[in-house]
Amino acid sequence: MSSNLKFGAGIWHFATYVDRYATDGYGPPRSLIEMIDLAGQVEDLSVVDINYPFVDPDLSLDAVEAALTRNKLSVIGITPEIYTRRFAKGAFTNPDPGIRRLANEMVNDAANVVRRFGADYVKLWPGQDGWDYPFQVDHKTLWQLSIDGIGELASQNPDLKFVIEYKPREPRVHMSYDSVARTLLGIEKMGLPNVGILLDFGHSLYGGESPADAAQLAIDHGRLFGMDVNDNFRSWDDDLIAGSVHPIELFEFFYTLRKNKWEGVWQLDQFPFREDSVAAANSAIGFLKVIDRALDKLDFEAMQAAQDRHDAVTALDLARRALFTSY
């Protein structure tokens, strides 16, 4: 394993999940402290992304810090919950200016938590910003609100990074930040250096992108600030164990990062509804270590030569040989 390689996970990886069928959940409820203690059982996990506000309003930052310290974990990001019921019509794009102000205040509170824990960024997943029906919104107004809402926060907190995690849909039928290209357009319109992209591998698959191509585009614009990995069958955001369905595309994704000398946390965004959460995380990290070894083994010069010729057969043979002999 590369000496500078770090693994992380969204703390929700260790939560109890519900869906519209099992509304009673797939296990007993867990507190944030219990989730942190589970995260601490994962081999080689060193950082977590934490939702804010905490489910338990009485939970202090000191108590969270003590749990993190006990489990030898640090915080990479804070994700404000700007996608809950109160934001059903949007956070930054809500037609009610009072709700838009509430979203701004919540994210600013989260920014202070980022400072408190010395985290890397505020992560924005504006899942309710968008539209569902034709004629529902004025698209010019909606897009401008999307840009203004995040731009204002980045201007208010120039010392912090803000990352946008784009996704094509869910919960909205169409999300405002739905692709790498559209998100980059919005960021460039903001014109601020501290706004970037958190590229979720599964969201990119789900949106019909090549995650490697999306990563290259974000890197070329200097905006790839973070990434999450998982997997799915491309028709939904399944958040399966990384590498379980698309191992070759995951390898190409990390090949692109290595080729560009991009360094950052290899972070899990998985939802193990029915699986043991610690085992699912260990499984994913185990495969990510295989990818890291395969990158060390891969002949980058031969790969580049094959790509220069658009020689798919040779390129795939090189990739598969490196990956499947690295266990």
Side-chain angles (χ1 to χ4, degrees):
M1 187 176 72
S2 298
S3 60
N4 59 346
L5 196 58
K6 292 180 67 175
F7 297 108
I11 199 64
W12 49 88
H13 184 289
F14 307 97
T16 299
Y17 306 107
V18 300
D19 59 27
R20 60 184 178 143
Y21 301 103
T23 56
D24 54 342
Y26 286 86
R30 289 179 183 147
S31 69
L32 176 57
I33 301 301
E34 289 172 326
M35 287 187 270
I36 292 171
D37 286 338
L38 278 174
Q41 297 177 32
V42 177
E43 298 173 13
D44 296 312
L45 193 73
S46 58
V47 299
V48 290
D49 182 332
I50 296 179
N51 306 92
Y52 185 84
F54 306 140
V55 175
D56 180 358
D58 296 323
L59 185 61
S60 69
L61 294 177
D62 287 343
V64 173
E65 183 175 40
L68 291 166
T69 301
R70 180 172 68 248
N71 288 284
K72 299 179 181 178
L73 296 169
S74 59
V75 180
I76 185 173
I78 297 294
T79 300
E81 295 195 329
I82 53 173
Y83 40 78
T84 55
R85 183 171 61 184
R86 71 177 74 180
F87 301 111
K89 287 191 174 183
F92 305 124
T93 64
N94 199 293
D96 183 342
I99 299 296
R100 298 200 299 269
R101 183 50 43 193
L102 180 62
N104 177 275
E105 291 170 357
M106 180 182 288
V107 177
N108 270 304
D109 287 344
N112 287 329
V113 179
V114 167
R115 294 184 181 95
R116 170 68 168 73
F117 287 124
D120 288 358
Y121 50 69
V122 180
K123 189 180 81 179
L124 300 175
W125 181 66
Q128 302 285 9
D129 283 358
W131 72 96
D132 306 307
Y133 292 93
F135 287 100
Q136 183 177 11
V137 300
D138 179 289
H139 292 289
K140 179 179 176 62
T141 300
L142 193 83
W143 185 231
Q144 193 61 54
L145 287 172
S146 298
I147 293 167
D148 292 345
I150 295 177
E152 180 183 21
L153 285 161
S155 295
Q156 290 168 337
N157 301 274
D159 58 314
L160 298 181
K161 290 181 180 178
F162 289 79
V163 298
I164 302 171
E165 182 179 3
Y166 69 86
K167 185 179 178 182
R169 56 195 178 276
E170 192 210 10
R172 295 312 287 254
V173 177
H174 297 275
M175 283 178 55
S176 290
Y177 293 101
D178 66 355
S179 64
V180 66
R182 188 176 175 89
T183 306
L184 284 170
L185 281 172
I187 291 171
E188 293 307 309
K189 189 75 171 178
M190 293 173 208
L192 297 166
N194 58 328
V195 185
I197 285 177
L198 185 137
L199 201 163
D200 183 294
F201 181 84
H203 293 179
S204 187
L205 287 177
Y206 176 33
E209 297 177 340
S210 156
D213 175 61
Q216 187 65 63
L217 194 60
I219 289 169
D220 287 346
H221 286 262
R223 299 291 184 173
L224 186 60
F225 288 6
M227 56 88 163
D228 287 338
V229 291
N230 44 47
D231 216 329
N232 61 52
F233 287 92
R234 269 197 157 93
S235 61
W236 195 249
D237 186 30
D238 302 309
D239 283 327
L240 303 176
I241 294 171
S244 55
V245 184
H246 295 97
I248 286 291
E249 284 180 276
L250 188 64
F251 186 35
E252 185 191 22
F253 175 73
F254 281 108
Y255 163 75
T256 302
L257 299 183
R258 173 78 72 90
K259 184 170 65 172
N260 286 275
K261 296 181 172 55
W262 186 91
E263 294 187 357
V265 172
W266 292 23
Q267 182 147 294
L268 307 179
D269 185 2
Q270 304 177 157
F271 276 61
F273 278 78
R274 300 165 185 83
E275 291 71 40
D276 178 273
S277 59
V278 173
N282 280 329
S283 175
I285 290 174
F287 186 66
L288 294 180
K289 290 178 181 178
V290 170
I291 284 180
D292 188 54
R293 291 195 294 271
L295 289 171
D296 289 338
K297 183 181 294 187
L298 182 65
D299 187 333
F300 275 64
E301 289 186 5
M303 178 63 76
Q304 188 62 59
Q307 291 178 340
D308 289 343
R309 300 189 305 270
H310 292 198
D311 183 348
V313 174
T314 299
L316 278 170
D317 283 347
L318 287 166
R320 290 185 295 198
R321 190 177 302 116
L323 180 59
F324 297 140
T325 62
S326 295
Y327 277 89

